[in-house]
Amino acid sequence: MFSVNEIEAAHRLVTRAMSPTPQYAWPQLGERAGAEVWVKHENHTPTGSFKVRGACTFIDWLVRTRPESPGIITATRGNHGQGQARAATAAGRRAVIYMPHGNSVEKNAAMKSFGAELVEFGHDFDEAKEEVLRVAEQEGLTFVPPFHEELVRGVSTYAYELLTAAPDLDTLYVPVGCGSGICGCIAARDALGRDTKIVGVVSEQAQTVKLSVEAGRPVETNSARTFADGVAVRVPVKDALAIYGAGAERIVTVSEAQIAEAIRILYRDIHNLAEGAGAAALAALLNERDRMAGRKVAVILTGGNIDTDWFLKVMAGGVPVP
């Protein structure tokens, strides 16, 4: 997808707006997994999620190529919207963000604090996205899709940091929603010439990515009812599928209970907060403990933006129901 020079240029751009995030090999997690386990801490960005990286590159592209645009409009469950709002308002542009009814109260508050104009619409992300497509032109705003080359180039910088710090990783686990994260990992791996296998992770309650890879074509699902809202997608992105369908080692599923347990483990073992999607990669690794025994592996902690009520329920041993 990108050359090393293109990713390094994106990294220079991203790191003007935020510091690189750390990656650590945690012995506590290694004992559980029977492997050397690295965590890439995208929960340590200014918005608590990896999405801010793609926002930096997308808004830079917008300002350069469409200077007349007054701003952006997009749909989100929260993390994408926070990043876009932060970058757009910093560039002096409007940021109109749609999210479904019943979305995370705390993610909504965070988006508003970054300057977003919030609109609730629909029952899930995909319905909100369809409405954004309808109103974008009449609002005179640039539509930010869930998947775009500039988003992926920005997101690829976290994998660039990780694979530069740990070049001999055997396997990297990453959650998959619309696909910018896993495609960024594939892009960085290929540009750097690494042999790392990349495993995508989805919830059992939101399997459009896995079903699409297995079928070799987009397969929509009727629902995506998971508390891991970063992977709560019913409709796969065709362009992303073309990349991860060819570049990922495999796509695996984890249960809602396994995601909740991974949140508890991350908090108790290494005192890091993870939202549902952010813990999915560790859940998958622990599911494949025997397969990964003795290897050097990494999980992407993609975000830590979990609402208080859900976090308290998880830490009490429960599983949130969206």
Side-chain angles (χ1 to χ4, degrees):
M1 285 187 70
F2 309 110
S3 68
V4 172
N5 287 341
E6 288 172 323
I7 295 176
E8 288 178 342
H11 191 254
R12 288 191 295 272
L13 182 64
V14 168
T15 53
R16 287 205 296 266
M18 58 170 274
S19 300
T21 59
Q23 49 274 314
Y24 301 125
W26 290 97
Q28 305 95 312
L29 300 178
E31 290 176 9
R32 288 183 182 272
E36 182 179 339
V37 179
W38 288 65
V39 178
K40 181 58 172 169
H41 284 284
E42 292 299 285
N43 58 319
H44 291 183
T45 75
T47 64
S49 159
F50 78 100
K51 293 285 191 176
V52 68
R53 295 176 182 266
C56 292
T57 46
F58 185 90
I59 297 300
D60 175 75
W61 169 83
L62 176 68
V63 170
R64 287 186 290 103
T65 62
R66 301 180 184 180
E68 76 287 352
S69 175
I72 57 98
I73 185 169
T74 193
T76 187
R77 291 299 303 268
N79 289 336
H80 169 73
Q82 287 182 62
Q84 291 297 323
R86 182 177 186 267
T89 55
R93 274 30 179 209
R94 290 178 65 198
V96 178
I97 311 294
Y98 276 63
M99 76 292 301
H101 291 286
N103 198 55
S104 161
V105 172
E106 293 172 21
K107 285 183 179 179
N108 287 357
M111 286 187 283
K112 190 172 183 180
S113 74
F114 285 118
E117 302 169 35
L118 302 183
V119 181
E120 288 188 318
F121 185 90
H123 294 95
D124 60 19
F125 165 78
D126 292 290
E127 287 188 2
K129 182 182 70 175
E130 288 303 311
E131 180 67 4
V132 167
L133 286 168
R134 189 184 71 80
V135 303
E137 185 173 352
Q138 69 187 46
E139 290 283 337
L141 297 169
T142 300
F143 170 58
V144 186
F147 188 86
H148 184 278
E149 182 177 276
E150 283 300 320
L151 295 178
V152 177
R153 191 167 71 97
V155 167
S156 72
T157 61
Y158 80 65
Y160 171 83
E161 292 171 5
L162 173 63
L163 293 171
T164 299
D168 56 343
L169 285 175
D170 178 86
T171 301
L172 184 162
Y173 289 83
V174 57
V176 190
C178 290
S180 65
I182 191 170
C183 291
C185 290
I186 292 167
R189 177 199 63 188
D190 292 351
L192 290 168
R194 305 290 192 252
D195 295 323
T196 305
K197 295 179 283 293
I198 295 173
V199 178
V201 185
V202 299
S203 167
E204 289 179 350
Q205 300 298 110
Q207 293 201 40
T208 184
V209 167
K210 186 173 189 295
L211 295 173
S212 297
V213 169
E214 290 171 349
R217 57 177 176 79
V219 177
E220 298 182 15
T221 57
N222 293 326
S223 68
R225 194 173 173 82
T226 169
F227 84 94
D229 51 12
V231 299
V233 176
R234 289 188 295 105
V235 182
V237 177
K238 186 176 181 180
D239 289 345
L241 173 61
I243 297 168
Y244 61 69
E249 177 76 6
R250 59 189 179 278
I251 307 294
V252 300
T253 61
V254 289
S255 70
E256 300 288 282
Q258 288 165 339
I259 293 171
E261 177 62 11
I263 292 173
R264 290 188 284 269
I265 289 169
L266 286 164
Y267 190 76
R268 290 168 177 159
D269 281 9
I270 64 174
H271 296 102
N272 269 259
L273 193 62
E275 59 190 276
L282 178 63
L285 168 61
L286 295 176
N287 264 5
E288 296 193 337
R289 188 182 191 280
D290 292 344
R291 185 171 187 162
M292 292 295 112
R295 302 188 189 189
K296 185 173 182 176
V297 299
V299 298
I300 311 301
L301 203 174
T302 51
N305 298 323
I306 184 171
D307 275 8
T308 302
D309 289 348
W310 279 8
F311 180 64
L312 293 175
K313 183 165 189 174
V314 167
M315 294 310 294
V319 179
V321 177

